[in-house]
Amino acid sequence: DAKTTQPNSMESNEEEPVHLPCNHSTISGTDYIHWYRQLPSQGPEYVIHGLTSNVNNRMASLAIAEDRKSSTLILHRATLRDAAVYYCILRDPREGGNQFYFGTGTSLTVIP
Amino acid sequence: DAGITQSPRHKVTETGTPVTLRCHQTENHRYMYWYRQDPGHGLRLIHYSYGVKDTDKGEVSDGYSVSRSKTEDFLLTLESATSSQTSVYFCAISDFEGKLFFGSGTQLSVL
């Protein structure tokens, strides 16, 4: 299974953009890149996902490198409510490949 | 929450006793998952199901069994609980786009 590598922790000032990196050098051509976040004392929640092209939604943007070996989750203006653990995972949607493996993620601290 | 209910929310039990955690969904999704979360280890997949009576092991399945007799229910059983199984357990479902939705979790303490 393709794995991902993320920094253990990052800090950001409130109202500034945040770029959360993820390396996935062994990604296969059919792996989707998913991002989830987990607020304190809650279950993880879906943030965004993509395959090759950059993606935007109301929560964040996902920038995917041209070779797909890395990606970056972009929070355009960090708020205190964005303080969470962010997980980057790969998912292969082919039949029998619907396992989702999480690592330890990146703990984001937002400084007021 | 995307129609996922975990029960119980909290449980304290003794070593050697059987424990069953229940996950119930109202979304009629095919895939369901059980994870455990421990400090320093993040979320680890225990078992998952891809349909009624169809289940498979995840990365930390030893000491756990699962059953899925109905689409809406996915049960996780610890046949003989050990202190190393003290953890927070999360159930999740996967929709047709492959997005995961998690329950609120069950805090299990094995004394």
Side-chain angles (χ1 to χ4, degrees):
Chain A
D1 300 305
K3 300 297 184 186
T4 62
T5 304
Q6 301 176 253
N8 288 332
S9 62
M10 291 184 64
E11 285 186 352
S12 174
N13 293 319
E14 194 176 11
E15 298 188 4
E16 289 187 356
V18 182
H19 291 234
L20 298 163
C22 181
N23 288 317
H24 26 80
S25 57
T26 59
I27 190 170
S28 74
T30 50
D31 282 330
Y32 280 76
I33 302 160
H34 284 239
W35 283 82
Y36 290 80
R37 73 177 187 181
Q38 187 173 21
L39 302 171
S41 302
Q42 295 187 26
E45 64 175 345
Y46 168 82
V47 177
I48 200 167
H49 77 285
L51 182 62
T52 56
S53 302
N54 294 344
V55 184
N56 300 295
N57 66 20
R58 64 175 179 81
M59 290 181 70
S61 295
L62 175 60
I64 301 172
E66 198 169 330
D67 63 5
R68 301 210 326 125
K69 294 184 184 300
S70 64
S71 61
T72 303
L73 180 70
I74 302 166
L75 308 178
H76 296 286
R77 286 185 71 220
T79 70
L80 296 179
R81 290 173 295 179
D82 290 323
V85 177
Y86 288 79
Y87 298 96
C88 166
I89 64 174
L90 302 179
R91 176 197 170 245
D92 184 344
R94 291 175 297 178
E95 189 65 29
N98 250 301
Q99 302 91 322
F100 292 76
Y101 292 102
F102 288 73
T104 52
T106 297
S107 178
L108 176 66
T109 299
V110 180
I111 302 168
Chain B
D1 290 334
I4 307 170
T5 305
Q6 290 186 232
S7 59
R9 291 295 310 277
H10 302 272
K11 185 168 182 67
V12 180
T13 190
E14 294 184 349
T15 299
T17 59
V19 176
T20 295
L21 308 182
R22 179 178 183 245
C23 179
H24 178 80
Q25 63 151 328
T26 57
E27 307 297 318
N28 201 36
H29 288 316
R30 182 181 171 194
Y31 283 87
M32 299 185 75
Y33 306 81
W34 276 108
Y35 288 87
R36 63 177 288 174
Q37 186 167 37
D38 306 289
H41 289 279
L43 280 155
R44 291 182 291 176
L45 180 64
I46 304 171
H47 281 279
Y48 68 101
S49 170
Y50 46 97
V52 172
K53 291 185 170 53
D54 292 323
T55 65
D56 207 347
K57 297 178 180 180
E59 55 192 321
V60 289
S61 59
D62 288 347
Y64 302 94
S65 62
V66 290
S67 65
R68 190 155 176 215
S69 59
K70 298 184 291 185
T71 298
E72 57 265 36
D73 289 326
F74 192 32
L75 304 180
L76 176 71
T77 298
L78 292 65
E79 300 290 347
S80 177
T82 67
S83 59
S84 65
Q85 293 176 312
T86 292
S87 187
V88 180
Y89 291 85
F90 287 101
C91 174
I93 61 175
S94 174
D95 71 2
F96 69 96
E97 286 186 290
K99 293 184 288 187
L100 280 176
F101 297 92
F102 284 82
S104 299
T106 295
Q107 173 68 62
L108 176 67
S109 297
V110 183
L111 305 179

